[in-house]
Amino acid sequence: MSFVIVSYISKVLSVELFGLVNYSQAIILYFNLLTLFGFQTLGVKEVTKSEEKDEIVYSVISIRLIIALLSICAVASISVFITKGNSFRTILLLYSLTLIPLSFNLDWFFAGIYEMKHNGVFNIIKVTIPLVIILCILKDDSGVYIIPVAFIIGLIAAGTYHIFQFKKKGFSFGNKNRNKRKVLFTIALPFVMSSILSTINGNVDTLMVGAFLSEYELGLYSGAYKLIFLLISMIAVLFNVIYPNLTKLKGQELNSFFGMLTRVVVMFAIPTAIGGFIFSEEILILIFDKKFSEGSITLKILMIYFMVLFLRELCAYSLNAWGKEKIYLKVIGISALSNIIINYFLIKKIGIEGAALSTLICEIGTFILMAFNIREKVELSYLKEAIKILPNICFVTVFMIVFKLVNINIVIIIPIIILMYFGILYKTGYLNTLGKFLK
């Protein structure tokens, strides 16, 4: 549904205004992370091991709400100095209001008590309501303000569902413990710093494209990056689900689970990146519009970045799960600083392709450093798993190239390739790993 929202908005809005909407989202993303304050990961660990769940929830929400209100004031101040026009300023301010309902997000709590179904419903509500509102009201550039308003309404409705389920289980927001709040605030600082640095590493390119290039180029880059962002969101769903297992498993059990997870990651990361690379232009036209086709080279580079990031995220979540937050923070800090410097020079020299290339270079460096730091605890077998599945991927890649050359419609190609790929995995027995992992 998020996919449909992005696609519809890109088709209805001009490239320039689409770029400004995404630029405002890129800015608000940092305040989202500041408001969430690292409790998406830390909160899961605390809820899993603690009996004082009510106190934890009250403390987390109260911390988040204070930060959200301060963040709205900060966004209002920042908007005065951004020279993108009044429309952009209004969009940015409206998006900042999403921080208040975001404070009441309890997905970390339900992950901690192993009731993921409520998070599934939360996510469906969160995107279904904006989807309906946007499809019904947004028809051209003049209705752009309905986009952030729709997301505010969606978050309020989804948050209400979470709170209802929380109270239904007999929990309460009334168990106040100031000392607990101070402790959680202190131990959450490395998590929120890591999240912000990680986001700088991931989307500083969009911010710098917006700062140095035209609104049109920003729109083209936003189209390519938005697709990558949607793919990354799917990765987050996967790793949020397996995160509790990474925190509690030890010894051989951990090695076995990690090996299985490595195989699943390789199974999806490599062919997705190859498919996106080959059909970059066709995908942009299908999802967005012909007006975004100029961003195809940028998308090719970003698809490789997506593959590396998918492989790297397993290392990142593992470091946080195993109490190595300081190592994670150092690595991300180095990468974020490098990304800003390299982006500055490459964007100035080659435009939006330079932004994508900078992001890829820094992601490769981050992956290498993180992989090095987890080898002492588990065996990292990416190369071995890639070699095992390489014949299957090569077989499917040949067909993708043939389909590309004979100019078959991408809508037909995608389901054929997916069925073909999973058919080969089934025949070779590789699909058994996926079945075991899902169980």
Side-chain angles (χ1 to χ4, degrees), residues 43-54:
V44 175
K45 292 173 71 174
E46 292 296 314
V47 169
T48 301
K49 68 183 183 182
S50 177
E51 296 296 325
E52 302 169 342
K53 293 179 172 50
D54 297 65

Side-chain angles (χ1 to χ4, degrees), residues 37 51 73 84 106 119 121 125 127 138 177 233 235-236 247 254 279 303 339 372 403 421:
F37 212 72
E51 296 296 325
C73 296
K84 292 289 182 184
L106 292 175
N119 293 341
V121 175
I125 295 171
V127 294
L138 181 65
N177 186 330
S233 299
I235 297 176
T247 62
L254 176 61
F279 297 106
M303 286 307 304
N339 213 338
F372 178 79
F403 289 153
Y421 180 60

Side-chain angles (χ1 to χ4, degrees), residues 162-213:
H162 257 172
I163 292 169
F164 173 77
Q165 292 298 332
F166 176 78
K167 289 191 171 183
K168 189 177 178 182
K169 293 187 175 300
F171 295 107
S172 169
F173 294 108
N175 293 334
K176 303 177 183 179
N177 186 330
R178 290 187 177 181
N179 186 54
K180 188 72 175 177
R181 185 164 55 188
K182 290 179 182 177
V183 170
L184 286 173
F185 182 87
T186 303
I187 62 177
L189 282 172
F191 285 88
V192 69
M193 289 175 67
S194 297
S195 297
I196 291 173
L197 286 173
S198 181
T199 305
I200 290 173
N201 198 35
N203 90 335
V204 73
D205 46 350
T206 302
L207 297 179
M208 295 182 77
V209 166
F212 297 134
L213 302 179

Side-chain angles (χ1 to χ4, degrees), residues 264-281:
V264 171
V265 168
V266 169
M267 187 189 302
F268 287 102
I270 298 176
T272 303
I274 292 173
F277 185 92
I278 293 172
F279 297 106
S280 60
E281 185 175 357

Side-chain angles (χ1 to χ4, degrees), residues 367-379:
F367 174 46
I368 292 170
L369 289 173
M370 287 189 179
F372 178 79
N373 279 286
I374 69 165
R375 291 183 72 91
E376 62 186 51
K377 194 172 181 75
V378 293
E379 180 187 353

